[in-house]
Amino acid sequence: EAQVTQNPRYLITVTGKKLTVTCSQNMNHEYMSWYRQDPGLGLRQIYYSMNVEVTDKGDVPEGYKVSRKEKRNFPLILESPSPNQTSLYFCASNRGTVGDEQYFGPGTRLTVT
Amino acid sequence: RKEVEQDPGPFNVPEGATVAFNCTYSNSASQSFFWYRQDCRKEPKLLMSVYSSGNEDGRFTAQLNRASQYISLLIRDSKLSDSATYLCVVKDPTGGFKTIFGAGTRLFVKA
């Protein structure tokens, strides 16, 4: 089954404690993205990657890091989480062509206290 | 000005009603257009692509007006199961066809 998986699905942590949210896709997609979703603001892109070892900032990259060492994986790293990073995070993948759809993971609900 | 703007709603309609959502986008170079559906705090899923000629999928009709930079979604004969948030989505020809999401329009269909 074609899918995007994320882990963990729920995470409560404290300020400053480094964490990683994993993302993996089995569709051999070139393009992967991370979004955060906050009430009234919609989905905002954090980082994206057009291929292995190729990453770039999205609209809200501050406080986040990513890596793309393998095509299927695109982890999101919060080196020093802060309460304003409390949000719902989605990983997504697509082929990277003009008309293709994005496939989303199930989301990670992160709370930073 | 936001790149993609939608009326946040909520739209509260009775079963069987026809409801229309509108969306405007700011970049005239945008190339692809979609409507996604998102159920409460779950992942967005593609509802339909939007073509210049307009397209229909059952009770759903999508229209694109490039001159006015405007996209619409019409839902006929609303069902309880149509209750969700509808996201207007635009692709720009930058950064590997960057995908830009509107903030979404909430729809509640009531019995």
Side-chain angles (χ1 to χ4, degrees), chain B residues 1 3-5 20-28 30 33 35 50-52 62-74 88-90:
Chain B
R1 182 185 173 190
E3 293 175 282
V4 178
E5 293 204 61
F21 305 138
N22 301 319
C23 167
T24 58
Y25 60 96
S26 61
N27 187 349
S28 59
S30 298
F33 309 89
W35 285 101
V50 187
Y51 304 115
S52 296
Q63 298 274 358
L64 167 64
N65 183 322
R66 283 191 181 269
S68 302
Q69 295 179 207
Y70 170 97
I71 304 161
S72 65
L73 177 68
L74 183 76
C88 175
V89 181
V90 172

Side-chain angles (χ1 to χ4, degrees), chain A residues 10-29:
Chain A
Y10 302 91
L11 179 59
I12 300 174
T13 190
V14 296
T15 299
K17 186 176 181 181
K18 181 179 177 180
L19 66 93
T20 299
V21 184
T22 64
C23 172
S24 184
Q25 50 95 4
N26 63 0
M27 294 168 278
N28 201 37
H29 283 164

Side-chain angles (χ1 to χ4, degrees), chain B residues 37-54:
Chain B
R37 171 190 168 131
Q38 185 176 24
D39 293 297
C40 188
R41 303 309 261 174
K42 293 191 174 180
E43 71 271 27
K45 292 185 179 178
L46 179 67
L47 178 66
M48 60 197 302
S49 301
V50 187
Y51 304 115
S52 296
S53 55

Side-chain angles (χ1 to χ4, degrees), chain A residues 31 37 59 97-98 100 102, chain B residues 32 36 38 43 91 95 98:
Chain A
Y31 201 99
Q37 187 173 34
D59 300 314
T97 57
V98 64
D100 67 333
Q102 289 222 328
Chain B
S32 300
Y36 278 67
Q38 185 176 24
E43 71 271 27
K91 275 200 176 182
K98 180 180 178 181

